[in-house]
DNA sequence: CTTGCAAATATGTGTGCACTTAATAACGAA
DNA sequence: TTCGTTATTAAGTGCACACATATTTGCAAG
């Protein structure tokens, strides 16, 4: 047990956070450089580096080579959002998950989708509509478009038992992605599927994923009213 | 210049990601241990560790001591959300920011707020309502409650020129926090403040911040219609 | 067959060192 | 004065080594 000469990087991090909190290091101010801190805290520079890097990743410090490390003036807090597969999300709440396919077709996407997927005007896409249910009640409506050229196996996939959401995670190697959250009013169809009043405010997440520069799929997830996306900072 | 015997941890990370993408390492599968990878890739274990740790932080690998490192079966993607001060958020979009105070009072919070702040039934709180504007148009309505016992300086603060949002970031040492995103229908007052139709779907973020175990403040931010919170994965 | 303890092992972390890279400052020439 | 070059400096990264810690495995005692 490293009585006291050894400080773990977490201990250093805690000390750094304390100094920021207690305004020992003021916002915008330059903090001692790594070597200096290492000497002062009785640990190696590597350890100090690890700690400072972690704090900087949370947005409380800003680091630039040569310029040194300074306390962030406008701390842009970095929250981490977990984006699980919907089935897992529901099961984690201890609810029974089920899923039902509403429709599946190969058709021309609307302009908005075409723009997101950067596809040529007359390129047909796989369009899958499905409903995720938690404990038998509508949870989220999945409105997905898949580029069958980029994901040929999708043509064979059976989306009646497994949602595109989960099928894609399992079968398509991940790539980059883009997520947006917003709110929309429920249209008549959506209201019926989600069993809510038309015009109700729905939480929406829209995701577009690609691999390399190839767009793969875009999805709109409409959550039933009272859904909350939750995280800690 | 380290021609090729030295691999940077980013290079190792890229190689690891490639192997996961190309299914050389299949989901759920155990990957070679650090020392083995180090030998294979011709770098030190430290470097491999750095790379694997980074990938694990993104949720694509799961690591446990002794048990080894395995490819995540249900990759829970970790998105990072930046939560800037609203003024900065607006200015970053190249728009002119302004702010106007709507009301400020010390009063009894409604039950929902009391629950969030875990305050006793008859404890009065500082209640500040303000509107953030971008290019002169309503952007977000800030409905904030501050515990004046936990943040005594707030009583003296001038929230007519600087929003509580920004004042708190500048004056109150950060602490833990809790963020939730959802959607609500605009009520009559909110519709008027945000210059939208009553019943319009609004994107909401609710934040509660504390220091230690002391609740400091809770805020509801109602964004004008068409607001989108956006991030990459 | 179960329980408990010890050995083995993979990751986690710390240290000291060296070298690289980027940003600034200092300096000198046009 | 202004521009470009060079020196300096602090962070970024890599390596070899050692020890810490968690977890599994296997063996032995009950």
């Amino acid at each position: 047990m490293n009585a006291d000469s050894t400080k773990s990087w977490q201990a250093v991090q805690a000390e750094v956070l304390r100094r920021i909190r207690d305004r020992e290091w003021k916002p915008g101010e330059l903090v001692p450089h790594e070597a200096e801190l290492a000497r002062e805290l009785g640990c190696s520079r590597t350890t100090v580096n690890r700690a400072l890097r972690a704090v900087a990743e949370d947005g409380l410090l800003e680091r630039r080579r040569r310029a040194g490390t300074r306390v962030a003036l406008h701390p842009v807090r970095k929250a981490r959002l977990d984006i699980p597969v919907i089935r897992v999300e529901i099961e984690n709440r201890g609810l029974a998950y089920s899923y039902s396919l509403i429709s599946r077709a190969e058709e021309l996407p609307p302009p908005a989708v075409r723009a997101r997927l950067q596809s040529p005007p007359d390129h047909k896409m796989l369009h899958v509509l499905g409903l995720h249910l938690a404990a038998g009640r509508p949870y989220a409506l999945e409105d997905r478009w898949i580029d069958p050229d980029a994901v040929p196996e999708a043509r064979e996939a059976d989306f009646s038992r497994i949602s595109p959401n989960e099928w894609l995670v399992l079968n398509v190697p991940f790539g980059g992605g883009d997520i947006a959250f917003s709110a929309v009013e429920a249209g008549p169809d959506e209201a019926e599927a989600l069993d809510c009043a038309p015009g109700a405010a729905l939480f929406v997440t829209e995701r577009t994923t690609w691999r390399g520069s190839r767009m793969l799929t875009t999805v709109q997830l409409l959550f039933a009213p009272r859904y909350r996306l939750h995280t800690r900072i």
Side-chain angles (χ1 to χ4, degrees), chain A:
Chain A
M1 53 218 71
N2 299 313
D4 89 312
S5 86
T6 300
K7 292 220 178 196
S8 70
W9 69 268
Q10 284 100 332
V12 174
Q13 183 186 33
E15 172 63 12
V16 167
L17 289 175
R18 190 194 61 74
R19 291 188 184 187
I20 298 175
R21 255 207 327 273
D22 295 356
R23 295 284 202 269
E24 275 177 40
W25 294 341
K26 302 194 174 50
E29 197 178 275
L30 212 59
V31 315
H33 61 260
E34 294 188 349
E36 167 73 15
L37 274 174
R39 197 186 48 73
E40 185 190 336
L41 299 175
C43 65
S44 78
R45 194 170 79 88
T46 315
T47 304
V48 172
N49 181 283
R50 182 92 155 79
L52 291 183
R53 194 153 34 79
V55 176
E57 267 171 17
D58 286 342
L60 263 69
L61 287 177
E62 283 167 3
R63 323 191 73 200
R64 272 163 53 227
R65 281 193 184 177
R66 159 68 191 172
T69 300
R70 51 182 69 243
V71 180
L73 215 42
H74 295 296
V76 176
R77 295 302 296 263
K78 263 83 174 169
R80 296 172 78 91
L81 270 191
D82 288 357
I83 321 259
V85 171
I86 295 184
R87 178 178 61 73
V88 172
E89 177 176 332
I90 289 174
E91 287 172 354
N92 280 348
R93 300 188 184 199
L95 301 174
Y97 171 79
S98 56
Y99 163 79
S100 85
L101 179 65
I102 295 174
S103 73
R104 175 201 173 121
E106 223 163 304
E107 55 194 21
L108 283 178
V113 169
R114 231 177 51 216
R116 280 210 292 277
L117 291 176
Q118 298 168 15
S119 65
D122 54 353
H123 183 55
K124 285 196 177 182
M125 301 258 209
L126 190 56
H127 183 201
V128 184
L129 258 178
L131 184 66
H132 301 266
L133 301 107
R137 306 176 60 164
Y139 185 84
L141 184 62
E142 177 175 356
D143 183 350
R144 184 176 295 267
W145 293 85
I146 304 174
D147 185 341
D149 287 357
V151 192
E153 319 90 294
R155 282 207 169 92
E156 265 67 43
D158 175 16
F159 291 131
S160 65
R161 312 209 53 179
I162 184 174
S163 69
N165 177 278
E166 186 155 5
W167 185 89
L168 284 160
V169 169
L170 290 176
N171 293 283
V172 177
F174 74 94
D178 184 296
I179 310 184
F181 305 97
S182 55
V184 298
E185 297 177 37
D189 295 348
E190 294 147 4
E192 192 187 332
L194 290 172
D195 192 23
C196 66
L202 303 180
F203 183 79
V204 193
T205 85
E206 287 165 327
R207 271 184 271 172
T208 303
T209 22
W210 57 79
R211 187 173 56 237
S213 60
R214 188 69 180 269
M215 309 310 273
L216 303 179
T217 175
T218 186
V219 63
Q220 187 183 54
L221 285 167
L222 287 152
F223 290 86
R226 301 207 331 284
Y227 175 84
R228 288 162 66 85
L229 179 64
H230 195 271
T231 188
R232 287 198 151 197
I233 211 169

